[in-house]
């Protein structure tokens, strides 16, 4: 029951965010909408898995690896942005 509640909340929040983005974001609305959708559903799935006791040990490792991936992607994005600014602006 709690898992269904988390997924329904994520679904309604996504719809609410989608309407807000369509009204107020003029540039890259599709991209922003996808990022919001992925973020909301990731949080909802994490909340659902955290309710199941066998997944508690695994979720800590998943968050640790996600943090490492985020750092790597951050450095890659930084390099790309520096290159883009230097050569295109």
């Amino acid at each position: 029951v709690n898992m269904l509640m988390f997924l329904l909340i994520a679904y309604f929040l996504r719809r609410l965010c989608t309407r807000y983005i369509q009204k107020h974001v003029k540039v890259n609305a599709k991209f922003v909408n996808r990022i919001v959708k992925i973020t909301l559903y990731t949080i909802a799935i994490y909340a659902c898995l955290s309710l199941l006791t066998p997944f508690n040990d695994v979720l800590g490792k998943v968050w640790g690896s996600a943090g490492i991936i985020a750092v790597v992607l951050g450095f890659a994005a930084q390099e790309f942005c520096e290159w883009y600014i230097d050569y295109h602006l």
Side-chain angles (χ1 to χ4, degrees):
V1 175
N2 289 336
M3 289 184 202
L4 183 62
M5 182 183 69
F6 283 128
L7 293 175
L8 285 174
I9 289 171
Y11 174 74
F12 286 119
L13 278 174
R14 183 185 65 86
R15 288 186 53 129
L16 183 68
C17 290
T18 300
R19 288 182 185 165
Y20 180 81
I21 290 167
Q22 287 175 348
K23 287 181 183 178
H24 298 289
V25 176
K26 303 299 180 205
V27 179
N28 293 330
K30 275 187 174 180
F31 177 73
V32 174
N33 199 12
R34 286 180 186 160
I35 296 296
V36 168
K37 182 174 86 170
I38 290 170
T39 303
L40 285 174
Y41 283 135
T42 302
I43 292 170
I45 290 171
Y46 175 76
C48 290
L49 290 177
S50 68
L51 294 174
L52 303 171
T53 53
F55 289 106
N56 284 338
D57 295 334
V58 175
L59 289 176
K61 295 172 186 170
V62 168
W63 279 113
S65 62
I68 293 171
I69 291 171
V71 169
V72 170
L73 289 176
F75 283 129
Q78 179 184 7
E79 291 293 324
F80 174 75
C81 289
E82 288 176 3
W83 171 81
Y84 186 80
I85 290 171
D86 286 342
Y87 292 107
H88 292 297
L89 294 180

